Amino acid sequence: MSENKMNGQIQIADEVVGVIAVTAALEVEGVVAGAHGKGIVEFFGKKGHTKCVKIAKDENEAVLDMEIIVKFGTKVQKVAAEVQERVKSTVETMTGLNVAAVNVSVSGVVKEKEAKAEDEE
């Protein structure tokens, strides 16, 4: 995002938008922050906190493509719809960007025991 003001220009890096989006998604009940298995930690780990979100934006509009992992037993469609709403609202509120779409792909399902074991490590 880039905005011209009387006092200068404001720019928000894509990575900042990505961190906001991932943080908002993790607040949704049923989205898992980590799990036992290769590749999943990369999605939500400290090193690749924004690897699960891609951002396409112009001056004041953005489209976010996200990958999430959900807990086994949750209603996947409901969780994905909640992620869309929460991410759109949070990114718009915090950045002033107009979020045209939040595309959510569910890339995994994890049993609750595995998710808790990974969180404890």
Side-chain angles (χ1 to χ4, degrees), residues 1-118:
M1 176 185 158
S2 178
E3 190 174 313
N4 290 317
K5 298 280 185 184
M6 290 179 63
N7 296 332
Q9 188 176 20
I10 299 170
Q11 293 183 349
I12 300 174
D14 286 354
E15 187 166 313
V16 172
V17 176
V19 169
I20 292 168
V22 169
T23 303
L26 290 173
E27 291 175 352
V28 174
E29 182 68 31
V31 176
V32 179
H36 184 69
K38 188 176 179 180
I40 296 173
V41 174
E42 290 177 9
F43 278 154
F44 298 107
K46 291 178 183 175
K47 290 182 182 177
H49 194 62
T50 59
K51 283 186 178 182
C52 64
V53 61
K54 292 185 177 119
I55 302 152
K57 66 179 181 176
D58 58 17
E59 277 299 306
N60 291 313
E61 188 171 86
V63 174
L64 285 73
D65 295 318
M66 298 191 72
E67 291 185 48
I68 63 170
I69 300 166
V70 297
K71 287 182 193 172
F72 180 79
T74 59
K75 294 184 178 182
V76 176
Q77 190 171 4
K78 182 180 177 188
V79 170
E82 254 186 82
V83 167
Q84 287 176 315
E85 291 173 23
R86 173 92 39 111
V87 169
K88 178 178 174 29
S89 173
T90 304
V91 170
E92 286 180 343
T93 300
M94 292 183 72
T95 66
L97 278 171
N98 177 36
V99 177
V102 178
N103 302 313
V104 176
S105 298
V106 179
S107 60
V109 177
V110 178
K111 291 182 181 177
E112 196 168 341
K113 287 186 222 173
E114 292 173 356
K116 285 182 182 176
E118 186 69 26

